[in-house]
Amino acid sequence: MAALSAKTEPANMTTTYEHTILVTGAAGAVGGIGRNVTQMLLDRGHKVRALVRQEDARAEALRRLGAEVVAGDLTDLTAVHRAVDGCKRIYFGMSVSAAYLEATVNFAAVARHLGVEAVVNMSQMTVSQMSITETTNSPQHKLHWLAEQALAWSGLPVVTMRPTVFLEGFFQAAAAAVVRDNDALMLPLGRGRTSPISAMDVARAVALVLDEPAPHIGRIYDLTGPESADLTHFAKVFSEVLGRTIIYRDVPIDAWIGRMREVGLPEHLLAHLKAMAQLHQQGRYDRMTDDFLRLTGHAPTSMREFVQAHAAEFTRPATTAEPHV
C-alpha cells in the first residue's frame, strides 16, 4: 500500500464545513470510538450528528461537546432514515450485538437511497481470514463478515477499518482491577502473541478518513499496535512501568467466561469473547501491519505508553498510616 499522509491543521485552528457527518454508536462502550470520533471531528470544525440508543447522561455530554444528538435504534428503519438524512459522510460502528447484520442492512439501504458520499465501516481484523468456507466460532465474527459482504453488494463508497483487539478491552476493562489488587494479568490467552491497538488510535484513523474521504474509498485498513508479543512480555512491560512485579497467569477460558456471565454479560457477547480467547491461543492474533502509520503518519500507541497513561487504574491507592500515640 502506498504511503498516505495525514491532513493536519495548525493548533487551535479549524475550518467550518457545510455538510454534517453522522457518527453512529456515539455513546457506545466499544473503546469509546464513536464518542472520540465525534469530538475529533468537532475539533476539526465539522458539524456532527451523534446517533445514540437513548437519552441519558452520555447523550447530554455529546451535546455539550457541540454535537447534534438524535436517539434511535439501528434496527428501526425509520430511525435510521431520520439519522442519515442530510448527512453525506458516515461512521458506522455498533457494539457487539446479535442484531448487527440487520442494523447494517438497514443502514446500507437508507444510505444508498439518500446517496451518501462516504462510509467508514468498523469491522474486525479476524474478518480478513474469513471466507465462504472459513469462519470462526464467534457469532459476531460471522455477522461482521456478512456485514462487509452486504456493504460491498450495496455499491456504497465504503472505507473499512479492521482493528485487532483493543488495549482498552483485554488490557484495561478486563484486567485493571486484577492488576491493581493481585499484581497479575489474568487472561485466557495461553502463549499466543497479540498486537493490541488503542481504540483512541482507531478513532484518530476514522476521523482522518472522514475529514477527507476521497483518497480512501474502497480501501481496507488492518490496524494493529506497534508490536506483537505474548502476555508474559506484556506483563514485564506492566512491571517496568508500575515499578512492581506483575505476572501473567493463564486462566481457563470457561472459568473466565463464567465470571463474566455472573456479572450479567449477554450470551452473544460471551460467545464472541470465548472465540477471541481461543483464537489468541491458536496464534491468530499474531498480526502486524504498518497501515496505521501509513494512514496517519504516526506510530500507534505502545503497551508501555498505554500503561503509563492509565497507571493510576493499575495501582492501589496509598493508605494513610495510623498516627503513633
Side-chain angles (χ1 to χ4, degrees):
M1 180 173 62
L4 298 169
S5 60
K7 180 181 179 181
T8 60
E9 294 177 344
N12 301 319
M13 292 184 64
T14 58
T15 303
T16 300
Y17 296 89
E18 178 183 357
H19 297 294
T20 299
I21 298 176
L22 173 65
V23 175
T24 72
V30 187
I33 292 176
R35 182 180 66 255
N36 287 313
V37 168
T38 298
Q39 181 163 5
M40 291 172 186
L41 290 173
L42 288 168
D43 289 345
R44 290 171 181 256
H46 290 283
K47 293 181 289 186
V48 179
R49 180 178 298 163
L51 178 64
V52 300
R53 286 285 302 275
Q54 58 188 6
E55 289 287 351
D56 56 18
R58 296 175 300 175
E60 188 56 36
L62 290 165
R63 285 193 179 92
R64 289 197 298 270
L65 289 176
E68 172 196 357
V69 178
V70 295
D73 193 315
L74 286 166
T75 62
D76 179 342
L77 197 58
T78 300
V80 174
H81 191 283
R82 185 172 62 249
V84 174
D85 193 18
C87 297
K88 291 297 185 181
R89 303 175 189 178
I90 300 172
Y91 165 66
F92 181 79
M94 182 179 175
S95 298
V96 173
S97 169
Y100 193 93
L101 181 59
E102 178 186 0
T104 304
V105 175
N106 271 354
F107 162 75
V110 172
R112 178 171 177 171
H113 173 72
L114 294 175
V116 303
E117 67 178 25
V119 175
V120 178
N121 174 49
M122 184 56 56
S123 189
Q124 298 189 26
M125 184 172 289
T126 309
V127 173
S128 65
Q129 298 176 327
M130 296 173 67
S131 68
I132 291 292
T133 57
E134 296 292 334
T135 186
T136 80
N137 291 327
S138 163
Q140 185 65 29
H141 283 153
K142 296 173 186 176
L143 294 180
H144 269 289
W145 185 82
L146 288 169
E148 284 198 22
Q149 310 311 302
L151 288 172
W153 300 333
S154 75
L156 286 167
V158 176
V159 184
T160 302
M161 298 291 181
R162 290 177 177 169
T164 183
V165 64
F166 292 143
L167 284 165
E168 291 82 354
F170 278 98
F171 294 93
Q172 186 179 14
V178 180
V179 172
R180 182 187 64 232
D181 298 334
N182 302 100
D183 295 332
L185 276 175
M186 297 178 63
L187 293 166
L189 306 188
R191 300 178 66 180
R193 298 163 65 92
T194 188
S195 55
I197 186 168
S198 169
M200 183 67 76
D201 284 339
V202 176
R204 291 188 182 101
V206 171
L208 183 148
V209 171
L210 287 170
D211 188 53
E212 191 175 345
H216 309 283
I217 298 301
R219 289 180 178 269
I220 297 173
Y221 293 107
D222 293 326
L223 304 177
T224 76
E227 64 176 339
S228 183
D230 62 21
L231 274 288
T232 298
H233 168 80
F234 287 134
K236 291 179 180 177
V237 175
F238 271 76
S239 300
E240 292 167 2
V241 173
L242 299 176
R244 67 185 200 273
T245 300
I246 308 297
I247 62 172
Y248 169 51
R249 294 180 183 171
D250 182 26
V251 297
I253 292 177
D254 287 340
W256 185 68
I257 292 295
R259 286 194 293 272
M260 289 188 287
R261 180 175 286 114
E262 290 173 359
V263 301
L265 294 186
E267 290 300 319
H268 179 85
L269 175 56
L270 294 175
H272 177 55
L273 292 172
K274 181 174 182 178
M276 288 181 69
Q278 292 169 333
L279 292 173
H280 269 92
Q281 292 183 356
Q282 297 166 16
R284 295 275 294 276
Y285 280 85
D286 185 11
R287 307 282 299 280
M288 282 289 296
T289 77
D290 61 357
D291 283 12
F292 180 82
L293 175 62
R294 290 177 177 271
L295 178 61
T296 68
H298 301 281
T301 302
S302 68
M303 181 67 77
R304 182 176 300 277
E305 292 167 331
F306 182 78
V307 177
Q308 288 171 337
H310 298 277
E313 298 174 53
F314 301 118
T315 304
R316 290 184 291 275
T319 57
T320 303
E322 292 292 331
H324 293 289
V325 295

